[in-house]
PDB file of all heavy atoms in Angstrom:
ATOM      1  N   GLY R   1      91.658 185.774 110.035  1.00 97.00           N
ATOM      2  CA  GLY R   1      93.032 185.344 109.857  1.00 97.00           C
ATOM      3  C   GLY R   1      93.097 183.920 109.365  1.00 97.00           C
ATOM      4  O   GLY R   1      92.068 183.273 109.121  1.00 97.00           O
ATOM      5  N   PRO R   2      94.305 183.380 109.212  1.00 98.00           N
ATOM      6  CA  PRO R   2      94.458 182.015 108.713  1.00 98.00           C
ATOM      7  C   PRO R   2      93.708 180.981 109.548  1.00 98.00           C
ATOM      8  O   PRO R   2      93.135 180.034 108.988  1.00 98.00           O
ATOM      9  CB  PRO R   2      95.971 181.781 108.763  1.00 98.00           C
ATOM     10  CG  PRO R   2      96.573 183.138 108.740  1.00 98.00           C
ATOM     11  CD  PRO R   2      95.605 184.030 109.437  1.00 98.00           C
ATOM     12  N   ARG R   3      93.705 181.134 110.860  1.00 98.00           N
ATOM     13  CA  ARG R   3      93.024 180.157 111.712  1.00 98.00           C
ATOM     14  C   ARG R   3      91.520 180.125 111.439  1.00 98.00           C
ATOM     15  O   ARG R   3      90.901 179.061 111.415  1.00 98.00           O
ATOM     16  CB  ARG R   3      93.307 180.470 113.196  1.00 98.00           C
ATOM     17  CG  ARG R   3      92.673 179.516 114.176  1.00 98.00           C
ATOM     18  CD  ARG R   3      93.197 178.085 113.998  1.00 98.00           C
ATOM     19  NE  ARG R   3      92.384 177.130 114.747  1.00 98.00           N
ATOM     20  CZ  ARG R   3      91.285 176.572 114.295  1.00 98.00           C
ATOM     21  NH1 ARG R   3      90.813 176.888 113.093  1.00 98.00           N
ATOM     22  NH2 ARG R   3      90.624 175.698 115.018  1.00 98.00           N
ATOM     23  N   GLU R   4      90.927 181.298 111.243  1.00 98.00           N
ATOM     24  CA  GLU R   4      89.491 181.360 110.938  1.00 98.00           C
ATOM     25  C   GLU R   4      89.201 180.809 109.547  1.00 98.00           C
ATOM     26  O   GLU R   4      88.182 180.136 109.337  1.00 98.00           O
ATOM     27  CB  GLU R   4      88.988 182.802 111.061  1.00 98.00           C
ATOM     28  CG  GLU R   4      88.943 183.348 112.489  1.00 98.00           C
ATOM     29  CD  GLU R   4      90.313 183.694 113.039  1.00 98.00           C
ATOM     30  OE1 GLU R   4      91.214 184.065 112.242  1.00 98.00           O
ATOM     31  OE2 GLU R   4      90.498 183.616 114.272  1.00 98.00           O
ATOM     32  N   LEU R   5      90.078 181.089 108.600  1.00 98.00           N
ATOM     33  CA  LEU R   5      89.905 180.533 107.262  1.00 98.00           C
ATOM     34  C   LEU R   5      89.966 179.013 107.300  1.00 98.00           C
ATOM     35  O   LEU R   5      89.180 178.328 106.635  1.00 98.00           O
ATOM     36  CB  LEU R   5      90.981 181.077 106.316  1.00 98.00           C
ATOM     37  CG  LEU R   5      90.910 182.570 105.995  1.00 98.00           C
ATOM     38  CD1 LEU R   5      92.122 182.984 105.169  1.00 98.00           C
ATOM     39  CD2 LEU R   5      89.622 182.922 105.267  1.00 98.00           C
ATOM     40  N   LEU R   6      90.886 178.485 108.087  1.00 98.00           N
ATOM     41  CA  LEU R   6      90.979 177.037 108.248  1.00 98.00           C
ATOM     42  C   LEU R   6      89.650 176.457 108.722  1.00 98.00           C
ATOM     43  O   LEU R   6      89.154 175.460 108.175  1.00 98.00           O
ATOM     44  CB  LEU R   6      92.085 176.696 109.246  1.00 98.00           C
ATOM     45  CG  LEU R   6      92.098 175.272 109.798  1.00 98.00           C
ATOM     46  CD1 LEU R   6      92.367 174.272 108.704  1.00 98.00           C
ATOM     47  CD2 LEU R   6      93.134 175.140 110.911  1.00 98.00           C
ATOM     48  N   ALA R   7      89.058 177.080 109.747  1.00 98.00           N
ATOM     49  CA  ALA R   7      87.800 176.559 110.297  1.00 98.00           C
ATOM     50  C   ALA R   7      86.686 176.595 109.267  1.00 98.00           C
ATOM     51  O   ALA R   7      85.958 175.618 109.079  1.00 98.00           O
ATOM     52  CB  ALA R   7      87.407 177.356 111.538  1.00 98.00           C
ATOM     53  N   LEU R   8      86.537 177.715 108.562  1.00 98.00           N
ATOM     54  CA  LEU R   8      85.414 177.906 107.659  1.00 98.00           C
ATOM     55  C   LEU R   8      85.539 177.126 106.356  1.00 98.00           C
ATOM     56  O   LEU R   8      84.532 176.791 105.732  1.00 98.00           O
ATOM     57  CB  LEU R   8      85.272 179.395 107.335  1.00 98.00           C
ATOM     58  CG  LEU R   8      84.747 180.274 108.467  1.00 98.00           C
ATOM     59  CD1 LEU R   8      85.072 181.730 108.200  1.00 98.00           C
ATOM     60  CD2 LEU R   8      83.240 180.089 108.641  1.00 98.00           C
ATOM     61  N   LEU R   9      86.770 176.839 105.939  1.00 98.00           N
ATOM     62  CA  LEU R   9      86.999 176.246 104.620  1.00 98.00           C
ATOM     63  C   LEU R   9      87.461 174.801 104.671  1.00 98.00           C
ATOM     64  O   LEU R   9      87.527 174.144 103.629  1.00 98.00           O
ATOM     65  CB  LEU R   9      88.044 177.068 103.856  1.00 98.00           C
ATOM     66  CG  LEU R   9      87.708 178.534 103.606  1.00 98.00           C
ATOM     67  CD1 LEU R   9      88.864 179.219 102.886  1.00 98.00           C
ATOM     68  CD2 LEU R   9      86.422 178.688 102.820  1.00 98.00           C
ATOM     69  N   SER R  10      87.757 174.273 105.874  1.00 98.00           N
ATOM     70  CA  SER R  10      88.284 172.906 105.930  1.00 98.00           C
ATOM     71  C   SER R  10      87.924 172.174 107.218  1.00 98.00           C
ATOM     72  O   SER R  10      87.258 171.146 107.194  1.00 98.00           O
ATOM     73  CB  SER R  10      89.810 172.934 105.761  1.00 98.00           C
ATOM     74  OG  SER R  10      90.347 171.643 105.793  1.00 98.00           O
ATOM     75  N   GLU R  11      88.374 172.697 108.352  1.00 98.00           N
ATOM     76  CA  GLU R  11      88.218 171.963 109.611  1.00 98.00           C
ATOM     77  C   GLU R  11      86.764 171.689 109.960  1.00 98.00           C
ATOM     78  O   GLU R  11      86.402 170.570 110.340  1.00 98.00           O
ATOM     79  CB  GLU R  11      88.883 172.727 110.755  1.00 98.00           C
ATOM     80  CG  GLU R  11      88.798 172.023 112.091  1.00 98.00           C
ATOM     81  CD  GLU R  11      89.370 172.828 113.236  1.00 98.00           C
ATOM     82  OE1 GLU R  11      90.151 173.767 112.982  1.00 98.00           O
ATOM     83  OE2 GLU R  11      89.032 172.526 114.397  1.00 98.00           O
ATOM     84  N   ASN R  12      85.914 172.716 109.840  1.00 98.00           N
ATOM     85  CA  ASN R  12      84.515 172.513 110.225  1.00 98.00           C
ATOM     86  C   ASN R  12      83.799 171.566 109.274  1.00 98.00           C
ATOM     87  O   ASN R  12      82.943 170.772 109.702  1.00 98.00           O
ATOM     88  CB  ASN R  12      83.785 173.853 110.301  1.00 98.00           C
ATOM     89  CG  ASN R  12      84.244 174.689 111.482  1.00 98.00           C
ATOM     90  OD1 ASN R  12      85.018 174.223 112.319  1.00 98.00           O
ATOM     91  ND2 ASN R  12      83.791 175.927 111.556  1.00 98.00           N
ATOM     92  N   GLN R  13      84.120 171.625 107.984  1.00 98.00           N
ATOM     93  CA  GLN R  13      83.538 170.657 107.050  1.00 98.00           C
ATOM     94  C   GLN R  13      83.921 169.237 107.464  1.00 98.00           C
ATOM     95  O   GLN R  13      83.083 168.326 107.447  1.00 98.00           O
ATOM     96  CB  GLN R  13      84.036 170.929 105.618  1.00 98.00           C
ATOM     97  CG  GLN R  13      83.324 172.076 104.906  1.00 98.00           C
ATOM     98  CD  GLN R  13      83.965 173.417 105.149  1.00 98.00           C
ATOM     99  OE1 GLN R  13      84.735 173.592 106.101  1.00 98.00           O
ATOM    100  NE2 GLN R  13      83.667 174.390 104.305  1.00 98.00           N
ATOM    101  N   ALA R  14      85.183 169.041 107.836  1.00 98.00           N
ATOM    102  CA  ALA R  14      85.639 167.716 108.256  1.00 98.00           C
ATOM    103  C   ALA R  14      84.926 167.263 109.520  1.00 98.00           C
ATOM    104  O   ALA R  14      84.551 166.094 109.651  1.00 98.00           O
ATOM    105  CB  ALA R  14      87.150 167.731 108.463  1.00 98.00           C
ATOM    106  N   ARG R  15      84.721 168.185 110.453  1.00 98.00           N
ATOM    107  CA  ARG R  15      84.046 167.831 111.715  1.00 98.00           C
ATOM    108  C   ARG R  15      82.561 167.533 111.504  1.00 98.00           C
ATOM    109  O   ARG R  15      82.040 166.538 112.015  1.00 98.00           O
ATOM    110  CB  ARG R  15      84.219 168.966 112.733  1.00 98.00           C
ATOM    111  CG  ARG R  15      85.642 169.118 113.270  1.00 98.00           C
ATOM    112  CD  ARG R  15      85.710 170.214 114.323  1.00 98.00           C
ATOM    113  NE  ARG R  15      87.040 170.424 114.840  1.00 98.00           N
ATOM    114  CZ  ARG R  15      87.596 169.715 115.831  1.00 98.00           C
ATOM    115  NH1 ARG R  15      86.905 168.731 116.406  1.00 98.00           N
ATOM    116  NH2 ARG R  15      88.809 169.987 116.245  1.00 98.00           N
ATOM    117  N   VAL R  16      81.879 168.397 110.770  1.00 98.00           N
ATOM    118  CA  VAL R  16      80.432 168.228 110.577  1.00 98.00           C
ATOM    119  C   VAL R  16      80.131 166.957 109.794  1.00 98.00           C
ATOM    120  O   VAL R  16      79.154 166.264 110.080  1.00 98.00           O
ATOM    121  CB  VAL R  16      79.835 169.463 109.862  1.00 98.00           C
ATOM    122  CG1 VAL R  16      78.371 169.210 109.482  1.00 98.00           C
ATOM    123  CG2 VAL R  16      79.937 170.696 110.750  1.00 98.00           C
ATOM    124  N   PHE R  17      80.993 166.628 108.831  1.00 98.00           N
ATOM    125  CA  PHE R  17      80.672 165.551 107.906  1.00 98.00           C
ATOM    126  C   PHE R  17      81.534 164.304 108.076  1.00 98.00           C
ATOM    127  O   PHE R  17      81.691 163.507 107.149  1.00 98.00           O
ATOM    128  CB  PHE R  17      80.723 166.063 106.466  1.00 98.00           C
ATOM    129  CG  PHE R  17      79.667 167.097 106.188  1.00 98.00           C
ATOM    130  CD1 PHE R  17      80.008 168.406 105.912  1.00 98.00           C
ATOM    131  CD2 PHE R  17      78.321 166.756 106.247  1.00 98.00           C
ATOM    132  CE1 PHE R  17      79.030 169.363 105.673  1.00 98.00           C
ATOM    133  CE2 PHE R  17      77.335 167.697 106.023  1.00 98.00           C
ATOM    134  CZ  PHE R  17      77.680 169.001 105.733  1.00 98.00           C
ATOM    135  N   GLY R  18      82.086 164.107 109.277  1.00 98.00           N
ATOM    136  CA  GLY R  18      82.662 162.818 109.622  1.00 98.00           C
ATOM    137  C   GLY R  18      83.998 162.487 108.984  1.00 98.00           C
ATOM    138  O   GLY R  18      84.297 161.315 108.747  1.00 98.00           O
ATOM    139  N   MET R  19      84.831 163.518 108.743  1.00 98.00           N
ATOM    140  CA  MET R  19      86.147 163.268 108.153  1.00 98.00           C
ATOM    141  C   MET R  19      87.297 163.640 109.090  1.00 98.00           C
ATOM    142  O   MET R  19      88.460 163.436 108.757  1.00 98.00           O
ATOM    143  CB  MET R  19      86.303 164.051 106.843  1.00 98.00           C
ATOM    144  CG  MET R  19      85.415 163.554 105.728  1.00 98.00           C
ATOM    145  SD  MET R  19      85.577 164.534 104.201  1.00 98.00           S
ATOM    146  CE  MET R  19      84.462 165.888 104.560  1.00 98.00           C
ATOM    147  N   PHE R  20      86.994 164.212 110.220  1.00 98.00           N
ATOM    148  CA  PHE R  20      88.016 164.686 111.152  1.00 98.00           C
ATOM    149  C   PHE R  20      88.417 163.565 112.115  1.00 98.00           C
ATOM    150  O   PHE R  20      87.552 162.845 112.590  1.00 98.00           O
ATOM    151  CB  PHE R  20      87.465 165.877 111.950  1.00 98.00           C
ATOM    152  CG  PHE R  20      88.492 166.633 112.736  1.00 98.00           C
ATOM    153  CD1 PHE R  20      89.227 167.642 112.142  1.00 98.00           C
ATOM    154  CD2 PHE R  20      88.735 166.326 114.065  1.00 98.00           C
ATOM    155  CE1 PHE R  20      90.177 168.347 112.871  1.00 98.00           C
ATOM    156  CE2 PHE R  20      89.678 167.007 114.795  1.00 98.00           C
ATOM    157  CZ  PHE R  20      90.399 168.021 114.196  1.00 98.00           C
ATOM    158  N   PRO R  21      89.710 163.382 112.400  1.00 98.00           N
ATOM    159  CA  PRO R  21      90.897 164.156 112.017  1.00 98.00           C
ATOM    160  C   PRO R  21      91.636 163.593 110.810  1.00 98.00           C
ATOM    161  O   PRO R  21      92.779 163.964 110.577  1.00 98.00           O
ATOM    162  CB  PRO R  21      91.766 164.051 113.265  1.00 98.00           C
ATOM    163  CG  PRO R  21      91.489 162.653 113.759  1.00 98.00           C
ATOM    164  CD  PRO R  21      90.028 162.382 113.451  1.00 98.00           C
ATOM    165  N   ARG R  22      90.999 162.718 110.064  1.00 98.00           N
ATOM    166  CA  ARG R  22      91.654 162.242 108.843  1.00 98.00           C
ATOM    167  C   ARG R  22      91.917 163.412 107.909  1.00 98.00           C
ATOM    168  O   ARG R  22      92.945 163.458 107.225  1.00 98.00           O
ATOM    169  CB  ARG R  22      90.770 161.192 108.158  1.00 98.00           C
ATOM    170  CG  ARG R  22      91.351 160.650 106.862  1.00 98.00           C
ATOM    171  CD  ARG R  22      90.443 159.594 106.232  1.00 98.00           C
ATOM    172  NE  ARG R  22      90.917 159.256 104.894  1.00 98.00           N
ATOM    173  CZ  ARG R  22      90.254 158.476 104.050  1.00 98.00           C
ATOM    174  NH1 ARG R  22      89.081 157.951 104.403  1.00 98.00           N
ATOM    175  NH2 ARG R  22      90.745 158.220 102.845  1.00 98.00           N
ATOM    176  N   LYS R  23      90.968 164.347 107.888  1.00 98.00           N
ATOM    177  CA  LYS R  23      91.108 165.549 107.079  1.00 98.00           C
ATOM    178  C   LYS R  23      90.778 166.763 107.941  1.00 98.00           C
ATOM    179  O   LYS R  23      90.246 166.633 109.042  1.00 98.00           O
ATOM    180  CB  LYS R  23      90.196 165.484 105.856  1.00 98.00           C
ATOM    181  CG  LYS R  23      90.501 164.249 104.976  1.00 98.00           C
ATOM    182  CD  LYS R  23      89.874 164.323 103.624  1.00 98.00           C
ATOM    183  CE  LYS R  23      90.139 163.049 102.830  1.00 98.00           C
ATOM    184  NZ  LYS R  23      91.554 162.875 102.437  1.00 98.00           N
ATOM    185  N   GLY R  24      91.126 167.940 107.441  1.00 98.00           N
ATOM    186  CA  GLY R  24      90.792 169.165 108.163  1.00 98.00           C
ATOM    187  C   GLY R  24      91.794 169.585 109.211  1.00 98.00           C
ATOM    188  O   GLY R  24      91.557 170.550 109.932  1.00 98.00           O
ATOM    189  N   ILE R  25      92.938 168.900 109.300  1.00 98.00           N
ATOM    190  CA  ILE R  25      93.952 169.245 110.295  1.00 98.00           C
ATOM    191  C   ILE R  25      95.315 168.741 109.826  1.00 98.00           C
ATOM    192  O   ILE R  25      95.409 167.714 109.153  1.00 98.00           O
ATOM    193  CB  ILE R  25      93.604 168.629 111.679  1.00 98.00           C
ATOM    194  CG1 ILE R  25      94.577 169.112 112.749  1.00 98.00           C
ATOM    195  CG2 ILE R  25      93.568 167.116 111.615  1.00 98.00           C
ATOM    196  CD1 ILE R  25      94.178 168.684 114.169  1.00 98.00           C
ATOM    197  N   LEU R  26      96.341 169.508 110.150  1.00 98.00           N
ATOM    198  CA  LEU R  26      97.716 169.063 109.927  1.00 98.00           C
ATOM    199  C   LEU R  26      98.158 168.323 111.185  1.00 98.00           C
ATOM    200  O   LEU R  26      98.469 168.931 112.205  1.00 98.00           O
ATOM    201  CB  LEU R  26      98.642 170.255 109.671  1.00 98.00           C
ATOM    202  CG  LEU R  26      98.353 171.120 108.447  1.00 98.00           C
ATOM    203  CD1 LEU R  26      99.317 172.300 108.381  1.00 98.00           C
ATOM    204  CD2 LEU R  26      98.425 170.301 107.155  1.00 98.00           C
ATOM    205  N   ALA R  27      98.138 167.004 111.127  1.00 98.00           N
ATOM    206  CA  ALA R  27      98.490 166.184 112.282  1.00 98.00           C
ATOM    207  C   ALA R  27      99.135 164.895 111.794  1.00 98.00           C
ATOM    208  O   ALA R  27      98.820 164.408 110.695  1.00 98.00           O
ATOM    209  CB  ALA R  27      97.254 165.865 113.126  1.00 98.00           C
ATOM    210  N   VAL R  28     100.019 164.350 112.602  1.00 98.00           N
ATOM    211  CA  VAL R  28     100.637 163.071 112.253  1.00 98.00           C
ATOM    212  C   VAL R  28      99.547 162.018 112.102  1.00 98.00           C
ATOM    213  O   VAL R  28      98.683 161.867 112.976  1.00 98.00           O
ATOM    214  CB  VAL R  28     101.659 162.655 113.330  1.00 98.00           C
ATOM    215  CG1 VAL R  28     102.175 161.244 113.055  1.00 98.00           C
ATOM    216  CG2 VAL R  28     102.819 163.645 113.360  1.00 98.00           C
ATOM    217  N   GLY R  29      99.558 161.325 110.976  1.00 98.00           N
ATOM    218  CA  GLY R  29      98.555 160.304 110.699  1.00 98.00           C
ATOM    219  C   GLY R  29      97.398 160.787 109.860  1.00 98.00           C
ATOM    220  O   GLY R  29      96.643 159.984 109.314  1.00 98.00           O
ATOM    221  N   SER R  30      97.237 162.110 109.747  1.00 98.00           N
ATOM    222  CA  SER R  30      96.187 162.642 108.879  1.00 98.00           C
ATOM    223  C   SER R  30      96.594 162.474 107.421  1.00 98.00           C
ATOM    224  O   SER R  30      97.773 162.314 107.096  1.00 98.00           O
ATOM    225  CB  SER R  30      95.938 164.125 109.180  1.00 98.00           C
ATOM    226  OG  SER R  30      95.428 164.299 110.490  1.00 98.00           O
ATOM    227  N   ASP R  31      95.594 162.505 106.530  1.00 98.00           N
ATOM    228  CA  ASP R  31      95.889 162.387 105.105  1.00 98.00           C
ATOM    229  C   ASP R  31      96.766 163.545 104.636  1.00 98.00           C
ATOM    230  O   ASP R  31      96.611 164.680 105.111  1.00 98.00           O
ATOM    231  CB  ASP R  31      94.598 162.364 104.297  1.00 98.00           C
ATOM    232  CG  ASP R  31      93.797 161.085 104.496  1.00 98.00           C
ATOM    233  OD1 ASP R  31      94.348 160.134 105.076  1.00 98.00           O
ATOM    234  OD2 ASP R  31      92.621 161.045 104.071  1.00 98.00           O
ATOM    235  N   ALA R  32      97.636 163.271 103.689  1.00 98.00           N
ATOM    236  CA  ALA R  32      98.551 164.288 103.170  1.00 98.00           C
ATOM    237  C   ALA R  32      97.865 165.140 102.111  1.00 98.00           C
ATOM    238  O   ALA R  32      98.276 165.209 100.945  1.00 98.00           O
ATOM    239  CB  ALA R  32      99.804 163.625 102.614  1.00 98.00           C
ATOM    240  N   ASP R  33      96.767 165.770 102.518  1.00 99.00           N
ATOM    241  CA  ASP R  33      96.079 166.775 101.712  1.00 99.00           C
ATOM    242  C   ASP R  33      96.524 168.124 102.264  1.00 99.00           C
ATOM    243  O   ASP R  33      96.167 168.495 103.398  1.00 99.00           O
ATOM    244  CB  ASP R  33      94.566 166.641 101.838  1.00 99.00           C
ATOM    245  CG  ASP R  33      94.040 165.316 101.313  1.00 99.00           C
ATOM    246  OD1 ASP R  33      94.731 164.678 100.500  1.00 99.00           O
ATOM    247  OD2 ASP R  33      92.934 164.916 101.730  1.00 99.00           O
ATOM    248  N   VAL R  34      97.299 168.853 101.486  1.00 99.00           N
ATOM    249  CA  VAL R  34      97.938 170.068 101.993  1.00 99.00           C
ATOM    250  C   VAL R  34      97.836 171.170 100.954  1.00 99.00           C
ATOM    251  O   VAL R  34      98.078 170.945  99.764  1.00 99.00           O
ATOM    252  CB  VAL R  34      99.426 169.801 102.321  1.00 99.00           C
ATOM    253  CG1 VAL R  34     100.107 171.083 102.811  1.00 99.00           C
ATOM    254  CG2 VAL R  34      99.562 168.703 103.372  1.00 99.00           C
ATOM    255  N   CYS R  35      97.484 172.366 101.404  1.00 99.00           N
ATOM    256  CA  CYS R  35      97.474 173.545 100.545  1.00 99.00           C
ATOM    257  C   CYS R  35      98.500 174.539 101.077  1.00 99.00           C
ATOM    258  O   CYS R  35      98.338 175.072 102.183  1.00 99.00           O
ATOM    259  CB  CYS R  35      96.090 174.188 100.504  1.00 99.00           C
ATOM    260  SG  CYS R  35      96.055 175.719  99.556  1.00 99.00           S
ATOM    261  N   VAL R  36      99.546 174.768 100.295  1.00 99.00           N
ATOM    262  CA  VAL R  36     100.536 175.798 100.613  1.00 99.00           C
ATOM    263  C   VAL R  36     100.043 177.093  99.979  1.00 99.00           C
ATOM    264  O   VAL R  36      99.971 177.204  98.753  1.00 99.00           O
ATOM    265  CB  VAL R  36     101.924 175.412 100.081  1.00 99.00           C
ATOM    266  CG1 VAL R  36     102.921 176.527 100.382  1.00 99.00           C
ATOM    267  CG2 VAL R  36     102.389 174.090 100.688  1.00 99.00           C
TER     268      VAL R  36
END
């Protein structure tokens, strides 16, 4: 589902490679990188 796609295509990359939570999550203060 969407949550699993998020992990495999964005969130986990951000976590493994030192970009989280700037990237890989929709959160206040995170970068405005958004895919609709």
Side-chain angles (χ1 to χ4, degrees):
R3 181 62 192 86
E4 290 75 30
L5 293 174
L6 165 65
L8 288 162
L9 301 178
S10 181
E11 181 184 341
N12 290 353
Q13 281 89 342
R15 290 183 182 276
V16 172
F17 295 114
M19 292 178 276
F20 192 86
R22 179 179 171 187
K23 302 194 183 291
I25 186 173
L26 298 177
V28 173
S30 295
D31 290 348
D33 297 338
V34 178
C35 176
V36 178

